[in-house]
Amino acid sequence: MQNFETLKSLLSSPKRIVITAHANPDGDALGSSLGLYHYLKQLGHRITVIMPTEIPDFLSWMKDYDQVLVYENTRLFSSNIVKEAEIIFSLDYNSLSRTELMRSVLKESTAFKVMIDHHLDPDDFCQAVLSDTTASSTCQLVYEFIEMMGDATLFNKDILNALYVGILTDTGGFRYATSSRLFNIVASMLEYGIDNNKLSDLVFNAYTVKSFNLLAYCISECLEIMEDCNTGIIALSQADHKKYNIQRGDLEGVVNFILKIQKIRCAVLITERREIVKLSMRSKGDFSVQEICANYFNGGGHKNASGGAMKKPLKFVVNTFKELIQTEYKAELTKDVVLEF
Ligand code: 5GP
Ligand code: MN
């Protein structure tokens, strides 16, 4: 970790600390933030966790969920806390733009900034950086950070439950982005008494009747398969958003369902928001949606899970995506993959 010693010495006396993660926080964003919070609390720091936008309901059971400030609902109050912070942690994001409306207050802050993240191509806005794209999740990196601090004895159920959530969500229940390094960590967590069955149930069986019906609608009415390109698209208009009263979090995981179809290697969920059209992409194997998001949709993420956005009408964005796939990526998406086991 870059500048680890400076950070370690800063953390050796009580500080005012703010922990942030990306807008539209997911299990890894919130899990890593709360995991780090439960750790740093034991060192005697004054810590505030601030998420740029609202946290999905399915995570509301997490310990100290109700202590987390949501910046979009508490702008003035949260801005003042950021301004007074001596250390700011940037978790699970690689660019200040991912914090959306928090961006300017974070940029202006003179606090010592620390990035812990696993996304590709990190921007240079932090003094201490733990950036590792081979890690399953930011939660894994927070676990390793606590070990690096020499504080493995401080692990407790609150920390480990929180970190386990992000590991579960970012690996899709140990289906991707795993490694022996991760499984060693998970083994230690289980030895500590973390309950995989219970946490998996809380995280993965979390549909409401409304979001389950919405998933059914997306699959039955909105899914378009580009069979000659092994690609699937679900596009939702503003009218769909109104008709189904779609709220943040209701579409969580929908894009992943497209990849369940045999042969599909690239999947996208395109949603028309009030001012922008957002793309959420997934892929299998070597096909990189990070490249597509970074090059054409002002976004990024990971090779197999990325996002981006465009300030254009929905139809235009859908057509742009389809054309790109047809002209630039068809060959790569249809080349034979030899499965050797
Ligand atoms: P999701 O599709 O679940 O929103 O995000 C998938 C991955 O892409 C996550 O790691 C997320 O952080 C990243 N991502 C999503 N949207 C954007 C975006 O607009 N810009 C960038 N740089 N990354 C994004
Ligand atoms: Mn993550």
Side-chain angles (χ1 to χ4, degrees), residues 67 200 233 283 299 339:
Q67 298 295 308
S200 296
I233 304 165
S283 64
L339 292 176

Side-chain angles (χ1 to χ4, degrees), residues 20-80:
T20 63
H22 57 77
N24 305 321
D26 53 13
D28 194 30
L30 186 67
S32 58
S33 297
L34 285 175
L36 184 65
Y37 168 81
H38 294 306
Y39 160 62
L40 291 174
K41 232 174 27 178
Q42 296 181 71
L43 302 184
H45 301 290
R46 187 130 55 89
I47 313 141
T48 313
V49 179
I50 310 178
M51 296 290 135
T53 61
E54 279 178 19
I55 311 164
D57 283 342
F58 85 97
L59 297 170
S60 62
W61 54 271
M62 289 180 75
K63 173 101 191 275
D64 286 339
Y65 170 94
D66 54 356
Q67 298 295 308
V68 178
L69 290 176
V70 174
Y71 186 83
E72 64 179 345
N73 302 336
T74 57
R75 280 195 197 203
L76 203 60
F77 184 68
S78 292
S79 291
N80 284 330

Side-chain angles (χ1 to χ4, degrees), residues 28 92 118-119 138 170:
D28 194 30
D92 204 34
H118 66 134
H119 291 90
T138 300
D170 269 29

